[in-house]
Amino acid sequence: MTEHTVPRHILPVIVLAQLLGTSLWFAVNAVMPDLQRELGWPTSTVGTLTSALQFGFILGTLVFSLLALADRFAPRQVFLVCALAGAGCTVGAWAMVRDQDALMLWRFATGFFLAGIYPVGMKIAAQWYSKGLGGALGFLIGALVLGSASPHALRALGDALPWPTLMLGVAALAALGGVLLYLCTGDPPGAVARVTTLQWRALGTVWTDRKVRSSVLGYFGHMWELYTMWVLVPLILATRLQGTGLSWAAFFVLGAGALGCVAGGLVSQRFGSARVAGSLLGTSGLCCLVAPWLMTAPDALFYAWLVLWGISVAGDSPQFSTLTARNAPPQAVGSVLTLTNSIGFAISIVSILLFVFLAETVPLQQLVPWLAIGPALGLWALRPLVQAERTAAQPGSRKS
């Protein structure tokens, strides 16, 4: 199927449904300041609840990939069921929000069902866009990055919405996203037939296939940096800002990643996903390395550095997913993407816990440069795909 045969409404529907569905990720984070004031919870509670959701997502992606759920069943049905289940978990969290242990279990379950939303949405996009996938995923993940930054904007808006209304509203939006995707899309013409058996050998291509291994290892280097950077940015901004100003600045820095995703997706149509991913990964790595100098620079340089870091640290994500989806066995794209997400988020948890622990005793200027380990290893792993694109772009070469 070629890109021009895709109905115009498909990409906006997938992007909107993904944004609504993954809003579950941020429901409790956005209302945590209110809960802390009302219930007297310590600041560390938000980290505990976030980790519970992350662990749920890791387990969910592992189960979904090993059972090949997104490849054995219609992806839009999987998306619908998980969006409704995740919405139900958020309602449960709202009903039992004052019981911290119960809230943690509900957030863990929410993370589990998010495994049927985020990676499955990418699988659906890959089904529709056999060409131009980098551009499609640029818009898709760009919307998710903007959603990731939304708690900072909500926090800046203060008490405009009571926390119960916000939590129930997020649950309703997630359910709407599942229904929207199910009703407004279908199986694309020429889609690969769904499998009836587990895809153990196909999952093994994460290591045995040179192209898949290259993109997956590059993605792992990216994940070492991405979420830890998002955690550290408010701490870096707190050296100059506080209160509402800090929240808005954090929103703009992290939200700038959406620009990187969309622009990278468009540029990849001409230069290739591997070269775009490598350029952005290298840029974010350099941003880590120059932190000791720019954290004490004048305001103009300080904020320009953070915005550039925000753009580049997230902008390569759609291209890594594009490369993996393009090179994975067609009948197992959903499972390979989901397994890759599972391992990547596990790496991000290790990185977050390590850097947050070290931040208590190590100055940020000395700590941040060590995030560049991920981009450096990622660039090394990505070399075969970058070289292949450069060779294909040379005059007289045959393009596949």
Side-chain angles (χ1 to χ4, degrees):
M1 185 179 68
T2 58
E3 187 178 2
H4 69 271
T5 64
V6 180
R8 290 184 177 181
H9 74 279
I10 292 295
L11 183 58
V13 166
I14 297 175
V15 169
L16 180 59
Q18 274 272 53
L19 182 60
L20 296 179
T22 53
S23 66
L24 297 169
W25 209 300
F26 323 114
V28 171
N29 296 60
V31 303
M32 186 54 66
D34 295 323
L35 295 177
Q36 289 172 332
R37 287 194 299 268
E38 186 172 322
L39 304 176
W41 287 351
T43 303
S44 60
T45 304
V46 66
T48 303
L49 291 172
T50 300
S51 297
L53 185 139
Q54 296 278 76
F55 279 117
F57 182 80
I58 290 170
L59 178 62
T61 49
L62 188 60
V63 170
F64 274 63
S65 61
L66 294 179
L67 298 182
L69 295 181
D71 297 308
R72 299 172 70 187
F73 302 97
R76 64 195 185 99
Q77 293 178 353
V78 175
F79 190 101
L80 172 63
V81 169
C82 289
L84 295 176
C89 290
T90 301
V91 173
W94 162 79
M96 304 179 70
V97 72
R98 288 172 174 80
D99 184 338
Q100 196 171 138
D101 291 336
L103 180 59
M104 190 175 303
L105 289 175
W106 281 118
R107 292 305 285 165
F108 179 87
T110 303
F112 183 91
F113 289 114
L114 277 164
I117 297 175
Y118 174 39
V120 174
M122 290 194 292
K123 151 87 174 188
I124 294 170
Q127 281 188 318
W128 279 101
Y129 293 89
S130 59
K131 293 184 178 179
L133 181 59
L137 290 185
F139 282 100
L140 185 64
I141 300 180
L144 303 185
V145 169
L146 197 58
S148 300
S150 63
H152 296 286
L154 291 171
R155 187 170 299 174
L157 292 173
D159 298 324
L161 287 175
W163 66 260
T165 301
L166 187 58
M167 288 187 71
L168 293 176
V170 166
L173 290 175
L176 175 63
V179 172
L180 179 70
L181 184 70
Y182 183 78
L183 294 180
C184 297
T185 64
D187 289 333
V192 176
R194 290 191 287 274
V195 299
T196 57
T197 58
L198 301 183
Q199 299 294 294
W200 300 107
R201 181 171 296 180
L203 288 176
T205 60
V206 168
W207 182 251
T208 59
D209 185 282
R210 185 167 179 260
K211 291 182 178 180
V212 178
R213 184 173 66 243
S214 178
S215 63
V216 166
L217 292 178
Y219 171 76
F220 292 162
H222 152 82
M223 288 296 284
W224 171 265
E225 178 194 14
L226 175 63
Y227 281 91
T228 304
M229 180 269 193
W230 285 359
V231 169
L232 294 180
V233 158
L235 300 180
I236 295 172
L237 288 169
T239 61
R240 304 196 183 202
L241 297 170
Q242 60 182 346
T244 301
L246 189 156
S247 296
W248 279 121
F251 170 72
F252 285 115
V253 169
L254 303 187
L259 177 62
C261 290
V262 173
L266 296 175
V267 173
S268 71
Q269 305 303 302
R270 178 174 179 181
F271 294 101
S273 292
R275 287 194 286 176
V276 171
S279 297
L280 290 169
L281 191 62
T283 300
S284 66
L286 286 174
C287 287
C288 298
L289 293 175
V290 299
W293 296 276
L294 291 181
M295 282 191 65
T296 57
D299 282 353
L301 283 176
F302 174 78
Y303 292 114
W305 161 61
L306 285 178
V307 170
L308 177 62
W309 196 9
I311 290 172
S312 58
V313 75
D316 49 3
S317 187
Q319 304 316 313
F320 283 120
S321 297
T322 297
L323 292 166
T324 301
R326 186 178 292 155
N327 294 315
Q331 78 280 8
V333 168
S335 298
V336 171
L337 284 173
T338 307
L339 178 63
T340 302
N341 281 154
S342 180
I343 300 172
F345 274 84
I347 291 171
S348 74
I349 286 184
V350 172
S351 177
I352 289 170
L353 293 176
L354 175 62
F355 277 82
V356 169
F357 171 76
L358 292 175
E360 296 180 358
T361 56
V362 179
L364 288 173
Q365 290 96 323
Q366 298 176 23
L367 184 61
V368 170
W370 290 99
L371 276 178
I373 291 174
L377 294 176
L379 285 171
W380 176 81
L382 198 59
R383 289 177 305 157
L385 293 177
V386 172
Q387 184 58 46
E389 286 186 351
R390 287 175 177 165
T391 300
Q394 290 176 357
S397 65
R398 291 185 60 187
K399 296 184 180 182
S400 57

